Amino acid sequence: MKLDPVTLRLFVAVMEESAIARAAAREHIAPSAASRRLADLEAQLQVELFTRSNRGSQPTAAAYALLNMARSVLNELDGIATQIKDYGRDHGSGLRGHVRVVANISAITQFLPAQLQRFLAQHPQVDVRLQERVSTDIARAVADNEADIGLLNAGSYGEKLSLRPYRCDRLTVVVPLGHALVRRRSVRLAELVQYDWVGMHAGSALNHLVTRAAADQGLQLRLRMKVTGYDALCLMVASGLGIGILPEGSARLYLGALPLRSIRLQEPWAERQLMLCVRATEALPPVTQLLATHLCQPATD
């Protein structure tokens, strides 16, 4: 039995897009040809991957089992291409491979740029592919073999993942210059409810953390708007549209360029633990293990 990677990629696309037409467009193939390939795949495997009805197609249990295996195979094929590329020109020197990393916005804006710069300077033949997601999506991506390494907030994500400490993440309050709080060195959440807020989007861990903390204290936040990134949050705060909460390291990126002041948030939940996760049941490839070890080294800067 021979399974070609084109069909496997199409199958993964169908599972991820939940529609043959969208998957066919993503893989640049006609929908009719995509349907034939899926039917041929089922015939080869002698198993039904999709139950078909007038309401569409639904994946079977076999399809979900194949999805994880297909991703693993395709990842290995991509790794071969990366490692062999330009092999003859540099005589095969240095560690090679590629690593798929998914991380939350806190890790990306505070820690990863310097860490990845150092790692790639030492290992220029390694290809690191980085994508931003929220923590729950990160855990699922690593467990389902969509990614090799995840950086996410501490939590309980199931037995499929192995977690280790990554970095501590302290939250701070940002206010515009001229604000009534601008001379304060620290502040409690209860002192902030009288002001308008600029918050992160509803699906973010930070929004959930702040709104839950307010609810636990019986406080009602005056949320004026929600944004999708720390850059937008800081721009809105600098324009006088409200105050905001974000990680301290992320806030430092904007303090010099925007008329902002950072104030310490004096709350027990303001210090969060970030974790690195990998799949628990798999031996990591050498390049993935090397990057994971590098990321978890104690901070030196």
Side-chain angles (χ1 to χ4, degrees):
M1 180 187 300
K2 294 183 179 180
L3 299 178
D4 68 280
V6 174
T7 299
L8 287 180
R9 289 190 192 280
L10 174 63
F11 166 75
V12 171
V14 171
M15 293 293 287
E16 292 178 348
E17 299 291 341
S18 300
I20 292 178
R22 290 196 296 269
R26 171 173 141 182
E27 297 301 313
H28 308 289
I29 184 173
S32 58
S35 295
R36 285 197 301 272
R37 280 187 173 272
L38 292 175
D40 290 343
L41 179 61
E42 289 179 314
Q44 280 185 289
L45 297 175
Q46 298 182 350
V47 67
E48 186 180 47
L49 297 173
F50 300 93
T51 56
R52 297 161 177 86
S53 68
N54 56 6
R55 291 179 294 180
S57 300
Q58 294 296 322
T60 64
Y64 287 106
L66 178 60
L67 178 61
N68 189 49
M69 290 184 278
R71 283 171 173 160
S72 181
V73 168
L74 294 171
N75 184 44
E76 290 298 322
L77 288 174
D78 289 342
I80 291 173
T82 300
Q83 294 179 55
I84 296 302
K85 182 181 179 182
D86 298 329
Y87 192 87
R89 186 169 64 220
D90 61 14
H91 308 292
S93 60
L95 180 71
R96 293 172 172 274
H98 76 284
V99 187
R100 302 164 298 168
V101 180
V102 285
N104 62 18
I105 188 173
S106 294
I108 289 176
T109 57
Q110 296 183 97
F111 310 115
L112 276 179
Q115 287 188 301
L116 291 180
Q117 188 279 328
R118 289 193 295 267
F119 182 83
L120 293 175
Q122 297 170 16
H123 307 287
Q125 305 304 325
V126 175
D127 177 22
V128 177
R129 305 173 190 179
L130 176 63
Q131 187 178 40
E132 179 198 330
R133 298 192 188 182
V134 297
S135 290
T136 51
D137 289 346
I138 292 168
R140 181 191 55 78
V142 174
D144 291 349
N145 200 18
E146 291 182 50
D148 303 305
I149 294 175
L151 299 170
L152 72 177
N153 293 324
S156 178
Y157 299 104
E159 297 180 355
K160 289 185 177 181
L161 298 181
S162 173
L163 291 92
R164 63 188 81 168
Y166 171 56
R167 289 287 186 272
C168 284
D169 173 28
R170 167 156 279 284
L171 299 177
T172 190
V173 181
V174 287
V175 301
L177 294 184
H179 193 274
L181 296 172
V182 75
R183 296 186 182 276
R184 294 286 297 274
R185 298 177 62 89
S186 65
V187 67
R188 301 298 298 267
L189 183 63
E191 301 175 88
L192 302 175
V193 294
Q194 61 182 302
Y195 304 107
D196 289 335
W197 279 66
V198 179
M200 292 294 291
H201 62 95
S204 68
L206 182 54
N207 175 76
H208 178 70
L209 179 66
V210 174
T211 54
R212 185 180 63 185
D216 289 345
Q217 298 182 41
L219 303 175
Q220 182 67 45
L221 303 181
R222 289 167 47 178
L223 190 61
R224 191 170 190 179
M225 64 187 68
K226 294 180 181 179
V227 295
T228 58
Y230 295 151
D231 52 350
L233 186 150
C234 288
L235 286 167
M236 295 300 175
V237 172
S239 297
L241 297 176
I243 63 175
I245 289 180
L246 73 163
E248 199 170 55
S250 301
R252 282 197 294 267
L253 300 175
Y254 304 98
L255 293 180
L258 295 173
L260 296 172
R261 172 74 191 279
S262 174
I263 305 169
R264 187 179 185 87
L265 180 59
Q266 200 68 38
E267 296 287 346
W269 47 267
E271 186 165 326
R272 305 182 297 174
Q273 176 68 54
L274 300 181
M275 307 295 288
L276 180 145
C277 70
V278 295
R279 284 180 297 284
T281 58
E282 295 185 15
L284 297 181
V287 65
T288 302
Q289 179 62 63
L290 189 67
L291 178 57
T293 300
H294 173 83
L295 294 176
C296 288
Q297 288 177 348
T300 58
D301 51 3

